[in-house]
């Protein structure tokens, strides 16, 4: 600890603390442009100069650490004049076109000049101009370099946090311009973090351009509705139209960063395709109806169906809505058949929950990154959960640690890894088994009694490594890192749910490492904003709220569809889930749904599933409701209502309650706040969880609010994780590629397809294979190719990725022009496809 | 005085290793291998050698900061990015006596334990680069570079890295960035290069002339070296004289030689007998100019610092009475604003502003108050920049304003030059 005097006030801070941080903690404001807590200090803007007694020159406080006994002055006339002079220099060549600048009103340069002067200009020379007109840098970025203050935050965030490294500086001196290589059009992650960190109006959102002035916007705190990273953001509207989503420095685990989906994908809210009225099918066509009529039809048909009814709710709804949904089914309709995913088998979910220890309470990703060895497996983190990727990149760059990435497909994060393992698709289990076996080999005594070890202890290392498709040396290296000094962190993604046969391998590795006395932190990496919340609210056929045991085990999505085809299940209530598009084997789903007597779909859009419905109810988006979402770490976070639902649409919680009320007027609780109270009472995990979040622009950048993590459930015996297996179609010469799926960087499920900006970034389907496979087939990046499976064939653009494992073709689940689930056939395992030039 | 650094100047053909060896080349290296690395550092410390690049930091002390742990990779970088206007001494050494530099670098590397060294040479020095490349090749052939040099067990590799024409890359940390392949901009200090330099490893960066002094120190002993010139700035120094003198060129003289001796004895006096001396820039254009009354100042680090100027690189620019000081200030300032790297605000935006004002004054469009504005901007830039480049620009301008303020005022008031 060092004790220093700041403006006469004595403070004691940790050794190595920056003067800037120490001063801000002590309550003294120091202005900065180039400083940002997440980025490496450069000390170039010179706004933060302070006076240190005994030193001739003023020192930049953002890169100078305190030394014991220092006496620092931050508000002397010299310091103040230095600040004013820096601003004078910055203004010398600044465009000063504030009246037409998008940033005007929330510009840091404006604020600082207002505060620290100079209020009179002395620069009478012609200004240097980079260009006369703003130029478009990417589909979402427009740039005006004349306003630049050369803080380099854009370049640094692009390199250090996003890892895209597409920005740099051209020119020298006052002609230095931060931009893309020779100002070329950017083909990057399009996440706009460069826009967010820009203190002035140099990098700007193209979709937001000239739409409004910041003071005309009304904003509300919310959480991004796409993946389960749980990025906090603010969405802002003007005249009922949401026109901006922004992240805030030091708020939420994401701080100022978002991905393209979060920053630009909100505009589905404003879509003209939104459903605004209830629809009821009359003589084969869906026609507008009143709420009373729609609810009446629902009541009649639900009564007719009796207990032969099922429900599927989207994992993007709020915890309150999901809780009420399961309550509606379990206590009102008397049916145990509910599920929150059209994609995952219920047993796989239970196995995954157990293996990742979700029932043991929330675990912070920052804690996980504090581990000495971190293994990322079962997820294409850079595309699926981009902001988690940023967190991993940023933290791993700043400390000595092992970062092991095991994935069939190459990803952006690979450059941060200390070891990369490319294994076969769907072979996560074999890989982890091989690693565990290697660990077991050196610790037979300690691991003899680990449950499940018998499954692999007699296996041959070569066999397992061969099945995983990687070398025995790679396996040994991972095992060595995991068993080395210190703690272990695991990021385990949705591939485990997609290929449930891998789950025992994950569970075994965790147990083995724990048996060695290691601290193991596991973060499940999920792809729907409230997937974890949906499970914890008990929207699952095998367990109730808080993973509590259920009296009667219900049917999951696949079983319900099976039962529907056989006529056993009569009615289905689907909330914001597009099962036709998402469940493997589209034909099967269509057949099953046509076997239903009655289908209610509640959605924001006329989805494929809604087209088949008897009644369609207009629902609301995340911007139109209050509630909480639980992210993948188990962090409960509030979203706030910004707008009313459009026209006659209603909040999902109101619709679910109204459906319940048709049976019993007392069904409730009646509003989200009361539902949350009931959740807190009924679900132990949420009893104490803190929703308080200092959502102010804070400067200390403390991102990890541990009180927001859910508590351990403490009763997870009920989880049934048996019968987990991965079925693959046998490999044939005709169909050499195993079809992998997931989300594209610019899309999430089908929701993002309604966002004009995201569609602008990527409209048509692409199929990704490794560059080596492509060259063997004589194909090139950008070729139009035919993808042929046993049951379906489609055309898409080829994207090649170098460094990926061969034999894997990846098609994201997002495209409506190539619905990837049509390649699947129920009961036949993961399909294989061939790729030829179209 | 016996010439050490420029002994081959004007002797064509003496740059090859054969003639070098005949004339006692690499004797210093042979001698050095008889000592432990620590005692080499001690000898350089004892000699009082101070860095010849401009700052005058004691060389032995700089070497002693390098961690002694033999498992850590260390580097030596030779700063041959001679960019200061008026300076051409390193070029003289590299083109005429490349083996002197190479020998000095091997000794320095041996002293600090560096297995690899780089010569960061100014891109425009094509001839010098070729000479050095040939010399390095010769040194490898004779076993002065490579594995197990002269049976000492010390191995060393040397590379040349050509710059791309940025003045800022003469700043040591910008030089490191440039070698690493990044944009040439200075790094923050601390950490200093002695702890975290090239590729994050301990690195010593020395000027060509500094390294060229090392073989003689080892061969003849530190006492001999410290006996030359004043006590606190000993040793020979190359002065690069340009401007209005009869015989401009390179002069190797002991430090402490007075300006008057240099100009009137060694350089043969003023070019045009009819015009008196008006001002002298004693150490490259960053150094504030001295006027005709200060000619008896000894040319060494401390005496010039006492006069408010500096020895810098030893580039002496002599100007006679026909020189317009506004134009001189403009030319010098334009150089700095052109070479400002763009990293920090005061230098990036301040130096072009100064240039614009000077241009205005020079072209007869000066406004009342411009001199005060210049002074105020100088105050705002000086001491607040990231690296010394901006300070250099201000010091040069301040020197001109201090000595010739009336000339600036005359330009503004009369819209014309005072001297021509």
């Amino acid at each position: 600890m060092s004790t220093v005097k700041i403006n006469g006030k004595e403070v004691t801070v940790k050794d190595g603390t920056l003067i800037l941080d120490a001063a801000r903690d002590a309550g003294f404001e120091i202005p900065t442009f180039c400083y940002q807590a997440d980025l490496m200090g450069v000390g170039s803007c010179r706004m933060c100069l302070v006076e240190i007694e005994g030193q001739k020159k003023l020192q930049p406080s953002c890169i100078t650490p305190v030394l014991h006994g220092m006496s620092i002055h931050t508000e002397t006339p010299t310091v103040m004049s230095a600040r004013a002079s820096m601003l004078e220099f910055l203004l010398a060549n600044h465009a000063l076109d504030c009246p037409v600048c998008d940033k005007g009103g929330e510009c840091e340069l404006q604020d600082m000049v207002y505060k620290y002067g100079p209020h009179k200009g002395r620069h009478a020379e012609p200004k240097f101009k980079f260009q006369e007109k703003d130029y478009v840098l990417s589909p979402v970025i427009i740039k005006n370099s004349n306003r630049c203050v050369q803080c380099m935050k854009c370049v640094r965030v692009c390199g250090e946090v996003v890892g895209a490294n597409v920005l740099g500086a051209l020119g020298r001196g006052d002609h230095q311009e931060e931009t893309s290589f020779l100002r070329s059009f950017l083909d990057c992650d399009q996440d706009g973090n460069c826009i967010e960190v820009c203190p002035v109006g140099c990098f700007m959102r193209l979709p937001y351009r000239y739409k409004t002035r910041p003071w005309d916007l009304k904003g509300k705190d919310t959480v991004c509705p796409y993946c389960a990273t749980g990025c906090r953001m603010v969405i802002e509207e003007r005249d009922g139209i949401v026109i901006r989503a922004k992240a805030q420095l030091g708020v939420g685990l994401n701080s100022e960063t978002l991905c393209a989906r979060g920053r630009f994908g909100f505009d589905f809210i404003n879509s003209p395709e939104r459903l605004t009225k209830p629809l009821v099918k009359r003589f084969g066509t869906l026609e507008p109806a009143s709420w009373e009529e729609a609810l009446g039809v629902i009541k009649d048909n639900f009564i007719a169906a009796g207990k032969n009814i099922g429900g599927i709710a989207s994992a993007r709804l709020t915890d309150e809505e999901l809780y009420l949904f399961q309550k509606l089914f379990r206590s009102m309709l008397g049916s145990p058949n509910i599920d929150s995913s059209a994609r995952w088998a219920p047993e796989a979910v239970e196995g995954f929950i157990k293996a990742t220890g979700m029932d043991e309470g929330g675990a912070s990703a920052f804690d996980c990154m504090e581990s000495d060895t971190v293994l990322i497996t079962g997820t294409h983190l850079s595309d699926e959960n981009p902001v988690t990727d940023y967190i991993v990149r940023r933290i791993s760059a700043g400390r000595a640690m092992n970062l092991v990435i095991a994935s069939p497909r190459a990803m952006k994060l690979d450059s941060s890894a200390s070891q990369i393992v490319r294994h076969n698709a769907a072979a996560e289990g074999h890989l982890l088994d091989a690693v565990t076996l290697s660990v077991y080999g050196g610790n037979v005594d300690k691991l003899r009694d680990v449950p499940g070890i018998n499954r692999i202890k007699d296996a041959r290392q070569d066999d397992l490594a061969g099945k995983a498709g990687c070398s025995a040396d790679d396996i040994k290296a991972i095992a060595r890192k995991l068993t080395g000094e210190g703690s272990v962190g695991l990021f385990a993604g949705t591939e485990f749910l997609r290929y449930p046969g891998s789950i025992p391998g994950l569970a075994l590795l965790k147990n083995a490492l724990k048996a060695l006395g290691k601290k193991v932190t596991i973060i499940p990496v999920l792809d729907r904003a409230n997937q974890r919340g949906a499970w914890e609210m008990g929207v699952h056929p095998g367990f109730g709220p808080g993973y509590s045991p259920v009296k009667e085990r219900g049917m999951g999505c696949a079983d319900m569809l099976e039962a529907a085809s056989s006529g056993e299940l009569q009615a289905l209530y689907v909330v914001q889930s597009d099962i036709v598009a998402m469940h493997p084997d589209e034909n099967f789903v269509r057949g099953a749904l046509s076997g239903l007597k009655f289908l209610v779909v509640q959605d924001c859009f006329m989805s494929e599933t809604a087209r088949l419905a008897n009644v369609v109810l207009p629902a609301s988006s995340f911007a139109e409701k209050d509630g909480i979402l639980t992210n993948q770490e188990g962090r409960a976070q509030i979203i706030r209502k910004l707008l009313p639902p459009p026209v006659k649409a209603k909040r999902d919680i109101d619709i679910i309650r109204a459906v319940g009320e048709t049976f019993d007027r007392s069904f409730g609780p009646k509003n989200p706040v009361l539902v949350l109270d009931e959740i807190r009472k009924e679900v132990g995990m949420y009893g104490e969880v803190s929703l308080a979040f200092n959502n102010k622009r804070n400067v200390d950048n403390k991102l990890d609010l541990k009180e927001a993590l859910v508590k351990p459930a403490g009763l997870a015996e009920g989880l049934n994780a048996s019968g987990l297996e991965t079925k693959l179609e046998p490999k044939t010469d005709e169909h050499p590629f195993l079809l992998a799926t997931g989300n594209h960087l610019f899309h999430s499920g089908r929701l993002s397809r309604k966002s004009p900006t995201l569609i602008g970034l990527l409209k048509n389907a692409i199929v990704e294979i490794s560059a080596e496979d492509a060259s063997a087939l004589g194909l090139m990046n950008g070729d139009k190719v035919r993808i042929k499976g046993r049951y379906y064939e489609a055309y898409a653009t080829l994207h090649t990725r170098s460094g990926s494992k061969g034999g894997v073709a990846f098609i994201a689940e997002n495209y409506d022009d190539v619905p990837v689930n049509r390649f699947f056939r129920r009961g036949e395992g993961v399909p294989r496809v061939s790729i030829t030039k179209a | 005085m016996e010439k050490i650094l420029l002994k081959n100047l004007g002797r064509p053909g003496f740059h090859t290793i054969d003639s070098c060896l005949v004339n006692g080349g690499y004797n210093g290296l042979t001698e050095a291998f008889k000592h432990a690395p620590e005692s080499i550092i001690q000898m350089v410390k004892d000699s009082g050698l101070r860095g010849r690049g401009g700052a005058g930091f004691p060389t032995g002390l700089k070497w002693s900061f390098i961690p002694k742990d033999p498992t850590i990779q260390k580097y030596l970088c030779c700063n041959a990015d001679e960019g200061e206007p008026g300076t051409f001494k390193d070029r003289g050494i590299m083109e005429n006596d490349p083996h002197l530099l190479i020998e000095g670098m091997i000794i320095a590397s041996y002293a600090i334990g560096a297995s690899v060294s780089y010569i960061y040479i100014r891109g425009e020095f094509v001839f010098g680069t070729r000479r050095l490349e040939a010399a390095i090749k010769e040194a490898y052939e004779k076993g002065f570079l490579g594995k197990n040099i002269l049976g000492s067990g010390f191995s060393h590799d040397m590379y040349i890295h050509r710059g791309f024409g940025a003045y800022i890359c003469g700043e040591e940390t910008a030089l490191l960035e440039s070698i690493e392949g990044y944009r040439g901009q200075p790094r923050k200090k601390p950490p200093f290069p002695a702890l975290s330099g090239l590729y994050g490893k301990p690195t010593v960066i020395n000027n060509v002339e500094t390294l060229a002094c090392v073989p003689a120190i080892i061969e003849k002993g530190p006492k001999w070296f410290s006996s030359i010139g004043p006590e606190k700035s000993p040793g020979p120094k190359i002065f690069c004289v340009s401007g209005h003198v009869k015989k401009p060129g390179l002069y190797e003289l002991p430090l402490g030689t007075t300006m008057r001796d240099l100009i009137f004895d060694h350089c043969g006096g003023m070019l045009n007998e009819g015009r008196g001396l008006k001002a002298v820039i004693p150490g490259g254009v960053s150094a504030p100019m001295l006027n005709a009354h200060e000619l008896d100042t000894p040319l060494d680090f401390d005496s010039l610092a006492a006069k408010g100027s500096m020895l810098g690189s030893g580039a002496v620019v002599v100007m006679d009475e026909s020189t317009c000081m506004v134009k001189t200030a403009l030319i010098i300032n334009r150089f700095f604003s052109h070479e400002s790297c763009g990293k920090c605000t005061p230098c990036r935006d301040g130096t072009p502003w100064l240039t614009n004002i000077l241009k205005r004054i020079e072209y007869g469009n000066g406004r009342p108050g411009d001199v005060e504005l210049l002074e105020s901007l100088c105050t705002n830039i000086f001491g607040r920049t990231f690296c010394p480049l901006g300070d250099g620009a201000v010091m040069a301008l301040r020197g001109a304003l201090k000595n010739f303020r009336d000339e600036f005022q005359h330009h503004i008031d009369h819209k014309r030059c005072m001297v021509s």
Side-chain angles (χ1 to χ4, degrees), chain A residues 116-348:
Chain A
Y116 299 104
H119 297 129
K120 224 173 184 177
R122 296 191 291 176
H123 186 266
E125 275 58 54
K127 287 180 189 265
F128 172 73
K129 272 189 179 174
F130 287 96
Q131 53 270 137
E132 288 298 325
K133 280 189 83 172
D134 301 1
Y135 61 97
V136 173
L137 204 56
S138 93
V140 290
I141 305 169
I142 186 159
K143 189 162 189 309
N144 181 331
S145 300
N146 301 332
R147 299 170 184 155
C148 182
V149 293
Q150 314 281 3
C151 67
M152 288 281 170
K153 276 198 221 169
C154 49
V155 176
R156 287 182 289 148
V157 82
C158 188
E160 293 172 22
V161 178
V162 180
N165 267 320
V166 293
L167 295 178
L170 300 174
R172 188 171 70 194
D174 59 342
H175 294 210
Q176 171 176 281
E177 181 186 8
E178 286 89 327
T179 182
S180 58
F181 184 64
L182 300 181
R183 300 193 192 92
S184 54
F185 197 66
L186 283 177
D187 174 21
C188 67
D189 289 6
Q190 314 289 4
D191 49 52
N193 288 316
C194 45
I195 302 170
E196 204 74 80
V197 296
C198 185
V200 291
C202 179
F203 280 85
M204 293 168 289
R205 291 165 167 82
L206 187 52
Y208 169 77
R209 189 151 179 75
Y210 296 144
K211 290 255 166 67
T212 181
R213 309 305 317 229
W215 54 84
D216 287 330
L217 288 170
K218 208 173 90 222
K220 278 278 159 54
D221 293 318
T222 191
V223 174
C224 174
Y226 289 111
C227 79
T229 298
C231 299
R232 292 199 73 110
M233 57 187 202
V234 171
I235 45 171
E236 294 166 312
E237 60 95 15
R238 182 181 171 172
D239 303 333
I241 295 173
V242 184
I243 40 183
R244 184 165 72 167
K246 66 171 190 197
Q248 300 157 292
L249 184 66
V251 173
L253 55 94
N254 52 315
S255 188
E256 242 177 340
T257 61
L258 285 174
C259 68
R261 301 193 284 241
R263 187 166 278 117
F264 300 109
F266 60 85
D267 50 357
F268 74 89
I269 301 166
N270 310 326
S271 170
E273 294 172 39
R274 284 286 298 272
L275 294 176
T276 54
K277 294 192 259 307
L279 304 171
V280 174
K281 195 168 253 173
R282 297 193 191 94
F283 310 110
T285 52
L286 285 164
E287 285 172 11
S290 68
W291 275 102
E292 292 71 28
E293 187 190 350
L295 288 171
V297 175
I298 292 170
K299 182 183 180 181
D300 296 345
N301 284 284
F302 277 11
I303 287 172
K307 285 194 191 301
N308 297 323
I309 188 168
I312 295 166
S314 161
R316 295 193 207 276
L317 300 179
T318 65
D319 283 346
E320 290 88 340
E321 288 159 350
L322 290 157
Y323 177 82
L324 208 61
F325 184 74
Q326 66 86 29
K327 193 176 173 187
L328 172 73
F329 274 82
R330 293 213 167 100
S331 63
M332 187 61 55
L333 302 172
S335 162
N337 308 324
I338 52 168
D339 207 345
S340 63
S341 173
R343 300 175 295 168
W344 322 131
E347 301 77 32

Side-chain angles (χ1 to χ4, degrees), chain A residues 521-683:
Chain A
T521 314
I522 306 190
I523 305 295
V525 181
L526 302 170
D527 61 354
R528 298 286 189 265
N530 201 24
Q531 182 66 72
R532 183 164 181 159
W535 292 332
E536 290 180 350
M537 291 303 114
V539 185
H540 186 279
F543 53 80
Y547 306 117
S548 57
V550 285
K551 277 184 235 120
E552 182 191 356
R553 195 177 169 85
M555 291 186 278
C557 179
D559 290 344
M560 282 189 253
L561 292 170
E562 198 77 69
S565 343
S566 66
E568 211 177 299
L569 193 80
Q570 292 181 10
L572 191 60
Y573 180 15
V574 179
V575 183
Q576 301 226 16
S577 182
D578 193 355
I579 45 180
V580 174
M582 285 298 151
H583 192 77
D585 196 347
E586 186 183 321
N587 283 334
F588 164 69
V589 182
R590 285 184 187 276
L593 294 182
S594 67
L596 282 171
K597 288 217 169 60
F598 186 64
L599 173 65
V600 189
V601 175
Q602 169 180 330
D603 210 320
C604 293
F605 294 97
M606 187 50 87
S607 64
E608 292 300 320
T609 314
R611 288 180 210 286
L612 304 175
N614 300 86
V615 174
V616 177
L617 303 174
S620 52
S621 73
F622 74 109
E624 292 138 14
K625 50 178 108 165
D626 290 304
I628 57 174
L629 300 179
T630 309
N631 80 346
Q632 58 196 16
E633 302 160 277
R635 210 182 280 273
Q637 306 188 100
I638 280 189
I639 62 169
R640 294 266 184 234
K641 178 183 163 191
L642 177 68
L643 291 170
V647 198
K648 285 190 175 164
K650 286 189 176 178
R651 292 185 301 176
D652 295 82
I653 197 159
D654 295 332
I655 306 174
I656 295 166
R657 200 191 62 235
V659 171
E661 282 173 348
T662 57
F663 290 87
D664 179 353
R665 295 299 301 166
S666 69
F667 182 73
K670 300 294 182 196
N671 70 44
V673 179
L674 298 175
V675 179
L676 182 59
D677 287 347
E678 188 168 319
I679 293 173
R680 282 188 185 281
K681 222 178 315 154
E682 298 292 321
V683 188

